[in-house]
Amino acid sequence: MDLKIGTCTLELVTGDITKQQSDAIVNAANSRLAGGGGVDGAIHRAGGPSIMAQTRQTYPQGCPTGDAVITGAGKLAAQYVIHAVGPVWSGGDRGEQESLASAYRKCLDLAVENGCGSVACPSLSTGAYRYPVDLAAGTALSTVISFLKENQKPAVIRFVLFDDPTYAAYEAALREILE
Ligand code: AR6
C-alpha cells in the first residue's frame, strides 16, 4: 500500500529489511547497541562485523531510548544503518508512545541530515520489546506522516513488515488515519 504526501511516498510492504535497496535502513537496536535477535541480529549478520565495530568506536556510551545513531552499512546494499532504540512496552503509562514517536523522528532527522532519499523502517518495539502492534502502528505512521508533511523529505519512507499480521496492523492503522 502506498500513500503520496506532497512529493514524497510512504510505502507499506512485507519483507526482510536486510534485502532493501534504500539509502538507509533502520535497525531496532537496544540502548547498549550490543546487538541481539530480531531485526538487529539479521542486520549485523548480513552487514558483517564492521557495523558493530563502528557503533563501538563512535557511540561507546550507547544510545538512549527514543533516540537513534547512524553508521555505515557494511556489506548491505544500503549506504547507512540508523540504529533506533524504541521503548520496551510496560503497560503504556511509562511514556512508551512518546519514546516510540521520538525514535522514528530521530531516524528521519538523521536520514535527512545525511542526504538519504529513501529509508526503510521496521516495526520498532513490536517484537522482543512487546509493544502491541496495533498501537505501535498508529504511532509509527502518524509520526512519519507528520514528518513528511513538515519536511517534504526523505522522498521515500518504506515500512518493511516481516509478517502478514504486522502488515495488516499497519494497513489498518493507515486506513484509520486517512479516514
Ligand atoms: N526484517 C524486517 N522485520 C523484521 C526482521 C527483518 N529481517 N526480523 C524481525 N523483524 P524486534 P524490538 C520484525 O524484536 O521489538 C533485539 O534483540 C519483527 O517480526 O527485532 O524493537 C534488539 O537487540 C517485529 O515485527 O525489535 C533489542 O534488544 C519487528 O521486526 C530488541 O530486540 C521488531 O522486532 C529490540 O526489540
Side-chain angles (χ1 to χ4, degrees):
M1 183 175 177
D2 291 1
L3 174 67
K4 271 278 178 205
I5 298 166
T7 55
C8 304
T9 312
L10 171 63
E11 301 176 2
L12 305 183
V13 302
T14 50
D16 177 348
I17 202 161
T18 64
K19 305 283 195 300
Q20 290 296 309
Q21 298 287 335
S22 50
D23 295 334
I25 64 175
V26 173
N27 182 18
N30 54 63
S31 56
R32 290 177 299 122
L33 302 176
V39 179
D40 203 1
I43 285 176
H44 285 291
R45 269 195 306 279
S50 69
I51 300 175
M52 186 74 80
Q54 208 181 333
T55 54
R56 284 214 180 99
Q57 187 177 13
T58 316
Y59 312 105
Q61 71 289 3
C63 174
T65 300
D67 206 345
V69 298
I70 190 164
T71 65
K75 293 186 286 179
L76 294 168
Q79 214 181 333
Y80 297 103
V81 175
I82 298 174
H83 306 263
V85 183
V88 176
W89 179 259
S90 48
D93 53 5
R94 304 227 171 146
E96 290 96 329
Q97 186 179 13
E98 185 40 49
S99 294
L100 187 64
S102 169
Y104 281 107
R105 276 195 298 271
K106 295 291 173 63
C107 286
L108 298 178
D109 282 340
L110 283 172
V112 170
E113 278 167 27
N114 288 274
C116 299
S118 57
V119 181
C121 296
S123 175
L124 293 176
S125 285
T126 64
Y129 283 179
R130 301 183 313 273
Y131 204 122
V133 67
D134 299 357
L135 299 179
T139 296
L141 291 167
S142 54
T143 302
V144 162
I145 289 169
S146 298
F147 189 95
L148 287 178
K149 283 184 176 161
E150 269 168 41
N151 298 280
Q152 286 300 311
K153 47 182 143 165
V156 178
I157 300 178
R158 182 178 307 125
F159 277 91
V160 181
L161 306 161
F162 206 43
D163 50 34
D164 292 339
T166 305
Y167 181 87
Y170 274 71
E171 189 178 45
L174 186 53
R175 289 192 195 287
E176 198 168 310
I177 289 168
L178 294 178
E179 268 167 18

